[in-house]
Amino acid sequence: MVTPLHEGLISITTLDTTRTGHMLRSLFDLPLPRDSEARLVSPDLSECVPASFHADAALLYGEKEEKLGVIAEVQLKRDPIKRWTWPVYLATMRARDRCKATLVVICPDHSTARWAAEPIDTGHPGYVLHPLVIGPHNTPVITDVAEAVGDIGLAAISAITHSDHPEIHAILATLAEALDNIDSKLARRYAEYVTVALTGSAQKEMERLMATETYLYQGEYAQSLLTKGQERGKAEGKAEGEARAVLLYLKARAIPVPDEARERISACTDIPTLETWIERAAVIDTIDELFA
């Protein structure tokens, strides 16, 4: 399932391919041409095989004999199928674009990163694929503005992979200030993708930073965040009212509501689900029927 976190990470990776190349050189010492933009080539890797294979992104750096392809994948959880399809992605890009190819997997948590980094034995002697993994284990905690400006792509991804870090407020403040030192249109897009990919308190902090309009690149984006926040507040308020209605129906009909069920109802923010529960609460006899 495509999630905001998934889309945010892959959008950052493809937003500025020169900066992405700088990040890959600094993390993995890949032999990418310096100061060279990559072409975004088709991530559809089905041409050489009967089944459909579609990577998250495919970047092609350099020209002629110097070409190097990069398959970029965002992995949010373990998926055993990828152990079979990742080698296909590389082989197909290599054949299609006549280039060397490498696999980079971006994982926002330690467990998935460890799994993704496990070698893949293809069965051919000596052909073992070792995925290059970007995750909390190797993205630095960047709280120095100059360092963030020097590798803004890495700083953006690092903010996401370290969203639970004790210094997340300092990390986000550093990123926000660093973005003020690059092209304003590009900075707005980095800010948007990072904000979308974050969750919980980290997302709220990034939204707060963007809403202050301290930086030149914010402008319309700050206003859009304010509008989205207002809309979300209205939706959350309606959800709270619907949840209370469910609980009142159950109370009026003397249906016992265990603490776990009460918490589930109160935490729900999906309006259609709550409306369904209200309808059921009027006719059910047990709490289990509410969630059936």
Side-chain angles (χ1 to χ4, degrees):
M1 180 180 68
V2 176
T3 67
L5 173 57
H6 182 282
E7 288 302 283
L9 284 169
I10 207 62
S11 295
I12 290 169
T13 304
T14 57
L15 176 57
D16 188 319
T17 58
T18 299
R19 287 185 166 90
T20 296
H22 181 70
M23 174 182 68
L24 295 176
R25 282 193 300 272
S26 65
L27 286 176
F28 305 114
D29 198 27
L30 287 182
L32 299 171
R34 292 190 175 275
D35 301 319
S36 170
E37 289 190 11
R39 289 180 285 137
L40 286 175
V41 295
S42 173
D44 187 343
L45 302 170
S46 307
E47 296 178 4
C48 299
V49 289
S52 176
F53 293 96
H54 199 282
D56 288 330
L59 311 176
L60 187 57
Y61 287 89
E63 300 291 338
K64 298 180 180 179
E65 293 80 10
E66 300 299 319
K67 290 191 296 186
L68 177 60
V70 176
I71 297 291
E73 284 275 278
V74 171
Q75 202 63 35
L76 305 184
K77 62 181 180 180
R78 300 183 181 211
D79 182 356
I81 297 298
K82 293 299 179 74
R83 313 291 295 175
W84 301 100
T85 58
W86 282 341
V88 177
Y89 293 176
L90 289 179
T92 305
M93 187 178 192
R94 183 174 179 273
R96 184 190 69 186
D97 297 304
R98 298 294 189 270
C99 66
K100 296 179 180 179
T102 190
L103 171 70
V104 176
V105 185
I106 307 171
C107 304
D109 68 89
H110 287 283
S111 177
T112 306
R114 284 193 297 269
W115 167 82
E118 293 174 1
I120 300 173
D121 188 346
T122 66
H124 185 82
Y127 182 14
V128 179
L129 173 60
H130 295 264
L132 303 179
V133 177
I134 298 175
H137 65 291
N138 64 349
T139 50
V141 173
I142 300 177
T143 55
D144 179 79
V145 175
E147 183 181 356
V149 172
D151 201 339
I152 200 72
L154 179 59
I157 289 181
S158 177
I160 298 168
T161 59
H162 292 295
S163 61
D164 293 329
H165 194 278
E167 293 185 76
I168 186 59
H169 283 211
I171 294 169
L172 294 177
T174 299
L175 175 63
E177 188 171 346
L179 289 174
D180 204 34
N181 290 271
I182 67 172
D183 176 77
S184 61
K185 291 183 179 179
L186 196 61
R188 281 199 299 273
R189 294 177 69 185
Y190 270 118
E192 179 179 1
Y193 296 146
V194 170
T195 304
V196 166
L198 292 169
T199 58
S201 60
Q203 184 181 65
K204 290 180 180 178
E205 175 61 15
M206 189 65 181
E207 289 179 347
R208 186 192 67 79
L209 287 168
M210 294 302 97
T212 60
E213 298 191 48
T214 302
Y215 307 107
L216 295 176
Y217 61 88
Q218 290 169 246
E220 295 179 1
Y221 181 53
Q223 183 58 45
S224 70
L225 278 178
L226 178 60
T227 301
K228 289 177 183 178
Q230 291 171 338
E231 291 174 352
R232 187 170 62 193
K234 291 178 181 178
E236 289 175 351
K238 182 177 180 181
E240 289 176 5
E242 299 285 294
R244 284 196 296 270
V246 175
L247 293 171
L248 284 172
Y249 263 109
L250 295 171
K251 181 179 180 181
R253 301 192 62 243
I255 296 175
V257 182
D259 290 342
E260 183 178 348
R262 185 178 299 276
E263 290 176 5
R264 179 176 175 181
I265 294 168
S266 299
C268 182
T269 57
D270 184 69
I271 302 300
T273 297
L274 288 165
E275 289 175 344
T276 298
W277 287 349
I278 289 174
E279 294 174 0
R280 290 180 182 175
V283 296
I284 61 174
D285 296 314
T286 67
I287 192 64
D288 291 337
E289 294 176 74
L290 183 74
F291 304 124

